[in-house]
Amino acid sequence: MFTGIIETLGLITHINSDKGNLHFTVQSDVSSELKIDQSVSHNGVCLTVVNVDNGRHVVTAIEETLIKSNLAAIKVGDLINLERCMQMNGRLDGHIVQGHVDQIAKCTKFTQLTGSWEFTFSYDMAPGNVTVEKGSICVNGISLTVVNSLKNSFSVAIVPYTFENTSMQYIKVGDTVNLEFDIIGKYVARLMRL
């Protein structure tokens, strides 16, 4: 479980393809503190650490993960959002995030406002994938608040701290991002269909 509050950015230093899987080597401020078998959110995708060495860690994304997320498009030199799993004795600053990406979305609009930035994303409104104004959404692992919720799209406003300390600063129109819809909203949508 995660909160969607990004700890640091990780630099992709190596990608190895193996039988449909991708093994990512990530260099970050927290890599040396990780342990093998630990869960870490990488752009919102919960991946298991399989190796730690010299300030880098390695995680593996299987085919199902690559289909549902934008990890297949990640390249060496890219920066990704990292968050270690939630500690049960701390505050929940974002919202409950599982690290299970529901789908990818495309950035359709980017607006620089006075003191903030607004991003609009289009997505597939599959059953259970809903946004609500002032509700929570997880974009590339970042817990954000929906500003506008429209059919098949939504927008989020980004404060300077989030813009400067996450990969949001690198997202351009046409780029894809990982989405995890609010777990409570998904359960409510499911119950409404019963």
Side-chain angles (χ1 to χ4, degrees), residues 158-172:
I158 307 298
V159 299
Y161 181 86
T162 302
F163 189 82
E164 294 162 6
N165 291 281
T166 70
S167 65
M168 291 303 291
Q169 62 188 296
Y170 305 110
I171 294 174
K172 305 176 298 300

Side-chain angles (χ1 to χ4, degrees), residues 109-142:
K109 187 176 178 186
F110 167 77
T111 307
Q112 185 167 356
L113 306 171
T114 305
S116 65
W117 297 261
E118 186 172 319
F119 290 83
T120 302
F121 299 98
S122 64
Y123 70 97
D124 173 22
M125 283 186 60
N129 295 343
V130 295
T131 60
V132 179
E133 287 187 26
K134 306 299 182 272
S136 297
I137 185 80
C138 194
V139 176
N140 273 357
I142 308 165

Side-chain angles (χ1 to χ4, degrees), residues 2-6 44 81 83 92-97 135-146 156-159 162 166 168 180 182:
F2 304 94
T3 65
I5 304 299
I6 304 305
N81 297 318
E83 180 191 358
L92 180 62
D93 289 325
H95 72 280
I96 297 171
V97 177
S136 297
I137 185 80
C138 194
V139 176
N140 273 357
I142 308 165
S143 173
L144 297 171
T145 301
V146 175
V156 291
I158 307 298
V159 299
T162 302
T166 70
M168 291 303 291
E180 181 181 332
D182 181 60

Side-chain angles (χ1 to χ4, degrees), residues 85-105:
C85 59
M86 177 174 37
Q87 293 182 330
M88 295 306 290
N89 63 346
R91 290 184 175 90
L92 180 62
D93 289 325
H95 72 280
I96 297 171
V97 177
Q98 294 180 294
H100 303 160
V101 171
D102 293 302
Q103 64 174 263
I104 58 172

Side-chain angles (χ1 to χ4, degrees), residues 11-18 21-26 57-61 66 70-78 80:
L11 174 68
I12 302 294
T13 61
H14 187 74
I15 301 172
N16 181 35
S17 180
D18 176 37
N21 300 333
L22 290 181
H23 306 284
F24 296 96
T25 302
V26 184
H57 69 276
V58 178
V59 291
T60 301
L66 297 171
N70 69 356
L71 291 183
I74 298 290
K75 302 177 299 301
V76 170
D78 284 352
I80 60 171

